[in-house]
Amino acid sequence: MIKLQVHITGSARIPTLRAAEAQALRKSGANRVAGSVRRHLLALAASTGSRRWWGQAARSVQVAPQEESGSALVLITQRGVRLHWKGGEVRPTGRPSAVTGKPTRSLLLPFPDSPLRRRGITLAELGLPPESIHVIKSKRGCPILVAGEQQKTHTNLIWLGTLVKSARFRPRPGVLPSEAALRAEAQEGVRQALRAILKQQ
């Protein structure tokens, strides 16, 4: 999960601003930030061709007012976005596999044309019987996960992906808009809300 905090530091300079009005300013600023993040993630989806996962990331963006701290949070709850943004290493959890029931000892990196990547689903969601899934070795000795789909006259192999012991992701700052761009969006959102409040007075 990623949390972006919107805090209005100048609201104390407006003595007539009531608590509800200050909250409206924070919410307006946070909504502008959230909209910018959503658009950015959708553009990333279009540019990478992986619209399902990044589209889900865009839909996971939420605004959560924090009245006690005098701020508002913009949350990105799609799992894995922070890893793409900040980078890091991923290792098997060791928890029981949803497919085999055995401890997970490897990570599955789907091939670009794997049904897992194309459909944006997990191996368990693919719904294949565990006995049809096999590990074979490539010419380079790297283990590959395949599934055998029985046809009338032959067995059709479904190439799922490569099995690795760990995977390292490099930081990608471009996963989110720049700090300056988000600050500008927050400021514009606050200005819009403030103009609306002043018109009512």
Side-chain angles (χ1 to χ4, degrees), residues 143-186:
I144 293 176
L145 199 67
V146 300
E149 190 175 49
Q150 188 64 46
Q151 304 293 332
K152 289 184 178 180
T153 59
H154 66 284
T155 299
N156 182 37
L157 288 182
I158 303 173
W159 300 86
L160 299 172
T162 304
L163 295 171
V164 298
K165 294 302 180 185
S166 64
R168 177 164 289 279
F169 290 78
R170 293 181 180 179
R172 296 171 57 192
V175 163
L176 293 182
S178 68
E179 183 178 343
L182 293 177
R183 185 182 300 112
E185 291 288 350

Side-chain angles (χ1 to χ4, degrees), residues 47-75:
S47 66
T48 60
S50 178
R51 300 188 179 188
R52 179 183 294 270
W53 193 85
W54 287 111
Q56 290 173 344
R59 290 190 293 274
S60 78
V61 178
Q62 305 171 13
V63 173
Q66 305 289 302
E67 295 184 12
E68 293 182 359
S69 62
S71 64
L73 293 180
V74 177
L75 308 176

Side-chain angles (χ1 to χ4, degrees), residues 108-174:
L108 175 60
L109 301 181
F111 295 126
D113 59 346
S114 167
L116 303 177
R117 188 180 295 275
R118 285 189 283 104
R119 295 167 57 186
I121 58 177
T122 65
L123 184 58
E125 291 170 333
L126 191 58
L128 295 173
E131 60 271 15
S132 70
I133 300 173
H134 308 281
V135 177
I136 63 174
K137 284 195 175 182
S138 67
K139 293 180 179 179
R140 297 181 180 180
C142 182
I144 293 176
L145 199 67
V146 300
E149 190 175 49
Q150 188 64 46
Q151 304 293 332
K152 289 184 178 180
T153 59
H154 66 284
T155 299
N156 182 37
L157 288 182
I158 303 173
W159 300 86
L160 299 172
T162 304
L163 295 171
V164 298
K165 294 302 180 185
S166 64
R168 177 164 289 279
F169 290 78
R170 293 181 180 179
R172 296 171 57 192

